[in-house]
């Protein structure tokens, strides 16, 4: 519940955002609510970024000297070259870099989809390299939700079946699965498309199914590798908004690779990588500050 | 489409606070057999073209096996019918002979009869040996045919698996263990194996039935040992399913062992 002041009658209104009409004068409060929402996002981000010291914050992902070298015959390509990065719980982190800079490789490492050549990656302070195959599968099933550029839905399954698949692995009962699956799809705006195959859905709709699927087992982290890469501007924006709202509302950590400047708007931090190394890390505060200064100078 | 505040609130609620929850109870990752069977059968139905290609090998192999076996059963039936006929004929001539020339030349006839039986016996022996050799050659042929079929199935399964690397990688991202992937592919292979064997069985049997009813008339049907034939058919069905299953193991295991990153990268 949050308190708002009605812009027309000045009455103080308390709502969780479900009722968006002033009870006394019936003025439309949606604008005010949305603004408050943005303010809350900023506050949350600010709070997350308030303190940089390792001791006071809980990190959900930490990497130390993460290195991945691909060997092809005699040629060695080092796709990652000693990456040290700490990612806070609830953070919205964007990873930017030119093609071939190692973004996907980095994702594979923290997602437990590939093993590093050297260095280590900790999720919830657990070294991924120490996990057994079963624990790793458990981690992929429960802790991490994956979103891909190419959507990667199972083509022979309907939207609902795609969303419930991770729940099957997690051992949910079929009633639970159906209920949760329906709810998730409804919440990403696909209530009319439950029984459609991926081939019968648009790109944006497929990606929304993928988002719902990523949320199936209440993950702590969502890993999105260029989630808007195959979508047009508008549809891409919808997906980004959806991710951001999830991030703000449920505190799920979002780590996303992107070329997309829209994505940067919503990020708490932006990590620029080049040739497998972290080039620089920007904080949103800094960017906002820059924008603010620029605006000031122009006046 | 924009997500309303309400939706996100509910979404946040059911997605459980983004892992801020207390340490969860470590549940097992599982894929119940019922679900695995459901998914596999769906895969077969929805990829019927691919299943048909894999199944053709089984159909041909089992059709051949059924052909060979029912041929043996049928020719047995024919032989038995002929033998019976002969016996009836012999009995008839005997009784005729007996009544016509009673007591005459009995000694000479006995010697003659002994000679005749001896010749018949050696002929029977020869025939048995030939039959045995034919049987051995037939078995050899069957084994070779099934082996070739098995290799064919492995090959086409390998293709079917390769086509689905991305899917396998995705499943692993969602928490599938290697064994789940193997399980799904093996159930699929078993289903294809059973269906293919059944079709092969029908084809092989119809062929033999057609052939014999032309050669020996429809009356052979009465002489054929149906229980034996049924047993052979059941065996053929089992062999077909087993063959398909065994042939699918190498590709399935190969697919399941792939690291998800590599599986996801493959493009077709
Ligand atoms: N499986 C592999 N085998 C060999 N080399 C690889 C493999 N995967 C990645 N690489 C190499 O590693 C480097 C980083 O690749 P990566 O896919 O991580 O880039 P990326 O930043 O995701 O690029 P993009 O923006 O195009 O997706 C590239 O030079 C690539 O050629
Ligand atoms: Mg990439």
């Amino acid at each position: 519940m949050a308190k708002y002041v009605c812009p027309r009658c000045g009455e103080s209104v308390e709502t969780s955002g479900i009722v968006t009409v002033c009870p006394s004068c019936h003025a439309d409060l949606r604008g005010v609510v949305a603004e408050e929402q943005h303010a809350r996002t900023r506050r949350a981000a600010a709070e997350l970024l308030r303190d940089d010291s390792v001791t006071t914050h809980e990190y959900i992902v930490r990497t130390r000297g993460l290195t991945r070298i691909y060997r092809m015959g005699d040629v060695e390509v080092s796709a990652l070259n000693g990456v040290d990065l700490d990612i806070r719980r609830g953070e919205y982190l964007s990873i930017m870099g030119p093609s071939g800079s190692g973004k996907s490789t980095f994702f594979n490492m923290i997602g437990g989809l590939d093993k590093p050549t050297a260095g280590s990656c900790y999720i919830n302070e657990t070294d991924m390299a120490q996990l057994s195959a079963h624990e790793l599968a458990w981690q992929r099933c429960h802790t991490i939700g994956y979103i891909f550029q190419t959507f990667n839905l199972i083509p022979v399954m309907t939207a609902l079946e795609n969303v419930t698949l991770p729940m099957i692995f997690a051992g949910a009962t079929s009633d639970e699965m159906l209920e949760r699956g329906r709810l998730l799809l409804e919440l990403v705006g696909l209530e009319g498309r439950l029984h459609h195959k991926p081939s019968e859905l648009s790109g944006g709709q497929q990606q929304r199914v993928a988002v719902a699927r990523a949320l199936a087992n209440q993950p702590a982290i969502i890993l999105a590798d260029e989630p808007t890469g195959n979508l047009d501007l508008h549809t891409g924006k919808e997906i980004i908004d959806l991710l951001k709202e999830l991030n703000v509302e449920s505190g799920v950590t979002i780590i996303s690779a992107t070329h997309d400047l829209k994505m940067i708007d919503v990020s708490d931090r932006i990590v620029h990588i080049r040739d497998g190394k972290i080039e620089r890390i920007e904080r949103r505060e800094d960017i906002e500050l820059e924008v603010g200064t620029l605006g000031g100078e122009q006046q | 489409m924009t997500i309303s505040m309400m939706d996100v609130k509910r979404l946040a609620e059911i997605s459980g606070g983004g892992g801020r929850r207390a340490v969860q109870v470590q549940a097992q990752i599982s894929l119940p057999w019922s679900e695995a069977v459901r998914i596999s059968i769906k895969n077969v139905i929805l990829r019927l073209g691919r299943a048909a290609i894999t199944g053709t090998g089984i159909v041909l192999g089992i059709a051949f096996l059924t052909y060979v076996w029912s041929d043996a059963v049928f020719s047995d039936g024919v032989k038995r019918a002929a033998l019976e006929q002969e016996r009836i004929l012999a009995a008839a001539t005997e009784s005729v002979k007996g009544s016509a020339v009673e007591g005459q030349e009995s000694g000479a006839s006995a010697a003659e009869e002994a000679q005749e039986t001896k010749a018949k016996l050696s002929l029977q022996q020869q025939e048995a040996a030939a039959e045995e050799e034919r049987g051995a050659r037939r078995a050899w042929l069957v084994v070779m045919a099934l082996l070739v079929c098995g290799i064919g199935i492995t090959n086409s399964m390998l293709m079917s698996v390769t086509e689905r690397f991305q899917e396998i990688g995705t499943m692993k991202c969602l928490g599938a263990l290697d064994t789940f992937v193997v399980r799904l592919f093996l159930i699929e292979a078993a289903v294809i194996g059973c269906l293919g064997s059944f079709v092969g069985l029908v084809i092989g049997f119809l062929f033999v039935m057609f052939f014999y009813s032309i050669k020996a008339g429809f009356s052979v049907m009465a002489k054929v040992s149906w229980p034996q034939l049924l047993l052979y058919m059941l065996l053929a069905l089992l062999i077909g399913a087993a063959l398909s299953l065994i042939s699918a193991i190498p590709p399935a295991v190969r697919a399941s062992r792939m690291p998800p990153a590599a599986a996801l990268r493959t493009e077709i």
Side-chain angles (χ1 to χ4, degrees):
Chain A
M1 293 293 247
K3 275 210 173 91
Y4 304 95
V5 176
C6 174
R8 196 194 291 170
C9 61
E11 195 77 26
S12 154
V13 187
E14 199 169 309
T15 169
S16 64
I18 296 169
V19 179
T20 51
V21 176
C22 174
S24 28
C25 71
H26 302 290
D28 189 348
L29 294 179
R30 271 179 298 187
V32 197
V33 172
E35 210 159 279
E36 162 67 17
Q37 163 74 19
H38 266 106
R40 198 161 0 138
T41 309
R42 282 196 294 275
R43 275 203 302 276
E47 191 185 313
L48 283 167
L49 295 170
R50 207 174 42 210
D51 195 349
D52 245 345
S53 70
V54 184
T55 45
T56 52
H57 273 101
E58 202 187 352
Y59 289 96
I60 190 150
V61 179
R62 291 196 303 124
T63 69
R64 287 290 171 272
L66 207 59
T67 302
R68 177 68 164 99
I69 296 167
Y70 290 107
R71 279 192 188 83
M72 287 165 295
D74 295 336
V75 193
E76 285 193 352
V77 179
S78 71
L80 276 187
N81 219 332
V83 173
D84 300 324
L85 186 63
D86 296 333
I87 303 170
R88 287 183 196 83
R89 214 172 265 282
E91 195 170 12
Y92 193 128
L93 188 91
S94 285
I95 297 181
M96 287 201 85
S99 185
S101 53
K103 301 182 294 292
S104 297
T105 308
F106 182 67
F107 274 95
N108 292 339
M109 299 296 139
I110 48 181
L113 306 181
D114 197 5
K115 294 212 154 52
T117 313
S120 34
C121 174
Y122 304 88
I123 305 266
N124 281 328
E125 301 303 326
T126 316
D127 188 352
M128 298 280 270
Q130 305 296 324
L131 296 180
S132 69
H134 190 275
E135 288 169 323
L136 202 59
W138 194 91
Q139 180 111 290
R140 290 189 201 126
C141 185
H142 288 270
T143 313
I144 304 170
Y146 302 83
I147 300 173
F148 305 95
Q149 178 176 355
T150 48
F151 321 135
N152 287 19
L153 300 176
I154 310 288
V156 294
M157 294 186 180
T158 63
L160 186 60
E161 286 168 334
N162 263 289
V163 175
T164 51
L165 186 61
M167 303 182 205
I168 296 179
F169 296 151
T173 66
S174 73
D175 289 347
E176 271 173 348
M177 284 191 310
L178 285 182
E179 195 197 324
R180 245 182 92 71
R182 268 175 220 276
L183 192 54
L184 282 166
L185 281 170
E186 192 183 310
L187 294 170
V188 297
L190 290 175
E191 59 275 10
R193 296 283 190 279
L194 296 180
H195 302 293
H196 287 235
K197 297 261 159 56
S199 57
E200 298 158 1
L201 296 171
S202 73
Q205 288 170 335
Q206 287 187 52
Q207 197 60 303
R208 277 189 264 153
V209 176
V211 173
R213 183 179 68 181
L215 293 168
N217 290 327
Q218 310 166 345
I221 307 167
I222 288 183
L223 278 181
D225 193 355
E226 302 190 39
T228 62
N230 279 351
L231 302 176
D232 64 46
L233 281 175
H234 177 72
T235 326
K237 179 89 170 62
E238 280 175 11
I239 296 293
I240 291 170
D241 288 346
L242 178 57
L243 289 178
K244 181 64 196 176
E245 286 170 41
L246 280 168
N247 168 247
V248 172
E249 287 296 330
S250 72
V252 61
T253 308
I254 296 189
I255 308 171
S256 162
T258 187
H259 295 294
D260 200 331
L261 290 168
K262 292 190 298 303
M263 199 69 123
I264 289 169
D265 260 4
V266 296
S267 311
D268 299 322
R269 274 199 300 169
I270 299 142
V271 177
H272 293 267
I273 69 172
R274 182 178 287 276
D275 298 329
K277 286 202 186 76
I278 294 183
E279 194 180 43
R280 68 200 153 90
I281 300 178
E282 282 177 310
R283 297 212 225 150
R284 207 158 68 123
E285 286 176 335
D286 301 344
I287 303 170
E288 269 177 7
L289 219 68
E290 263 169 47
V291 173
T293 328
L294 270 174
E297 276 168 2
Q298 271 167 2
Q299 273 183 351
Chain B
M1 194 243 19
T2 44
I3 315 291
S4 76
M5 283 287 295
M6 179 181 77
D7 287 351
V8 172
K9 276 254 159 57
R10 278 173 71 201
L11 194 49
E13 202 178 290
I14 63 167
S15 34
R20 270 182 228 260
R21 295 157 294 171
V23 182
Q24 309 126 308
V25 186
Q26 189 103 0
Q28 288 281 313
I29 296 286
S30 68
L31 175 62
W33 281 97
S34 56
E35 289 290 347
V37 169
R38 203 177 54 78
I39 294 173
S40 300
I41 288 179
K42 194 159 195 177
N43 253 320
V44 173
I45 294 170
L46 290 171
R47 290 181 220 258
L48 212 56
R50 165 57 61 198
I53 294 172
T54 315
T56 310
I58 284 287
V59 170
L60 292 177
I62 296 308
F64 183 67
L65 184 68
T66 314
Y67 162 75
V68 168
W69 277 350
S70 355
D71 181 56
V73 174
F74 267 75
S75 75
D76 259 12
V78 170
K79 238 179 259 158
R80 211 172 312 126
L83 224 70
E84 232 161 78
Q85 202 101 35
E86 207 173 281
R87 214 174 299 140
I88 292 167
L89 221 71
T93 37
E94 197 106 317
S95 69
V96 169
K97 240 194 233 164
S99 62
V101 264
E102 211 170 319
Q104 250 188 17
E105 301 174 37
S106 65
S109 126
E112 208 174 277
E113 212 158 275
Q115 193 90 17
E116 210 172 281
T117 346
K118 218 187 223 169
K120 214 185 241 173
L121 241 125
S122 84
L123 207 77
Q124 260 173 11
Q125 260 169 3
Q126 261 174 28
E127 209 164 279
E131 180 63 34
E132 205 167 283
E133 200 192 313
R134 230 178 298 146
R137 203 179 307 144
R138 222 188 258 151
W140 169 246
L141 225 70
V142 165
V143 168
M144 285 316 276
L146 291 185
L147 216 68
V148 170
C149 278
I151 291 168
I153 299 161
T154 306
N155 211 351
S156 104
M157 258 299 187
L158 209 59
M159 266 164 71
S160 155
V161 164
T162 311
E163 277 173 1
R164 277 144 76 178
F165 272 158
Q166 271 229 358
E167 214 177 301
I168 294 165
T170 308
M171 284 214 182
K172 285 187 155 190
C173 287
L174 303 180
L177 287 167
D178 291 9
T179 51
F180 298 1
V181 177
V182 174
R183 189 178 303 174
L184 287 175
F185 276 104
L186 290 195
I187 295 174
E188 209 177 304
V191 170
I192 294 175
C194 284
L195 290 179
S197 305
F198 185 74
V199 175
L201 206 89
V202 171
I203 292 175
F205 173 71
L206 284 182
F207 188 77
V208 170
M209 201 168 82
F210 184 68
F211 181 73
Y212 273 90
S213 40
I214 284 178
K215 199 175 99 174
F218 217 72
S219 56
V220 213
M221 298 301 154
K223 290 284 176 282
V224 169
S225 156
W226 291 101
Q228 196 185 5
L229 200 63
L230 217 67
L231 195 75
Y232 271 143
M233 285 187 169
L234 215 68
L235 204 62
L237 207 66
L238 273 178
I239 288 180
L243 187 70
S244 173
L245 202 67
I246 291 167
S247 311
I249 290 175
V253 168
R254 190 183 105 113
S256 76
R257 292 228 177 114
M258 230 171 156
L264 285 171
R265 252 179 85 88
T266 52
E267 267 165 41
I268 30 149

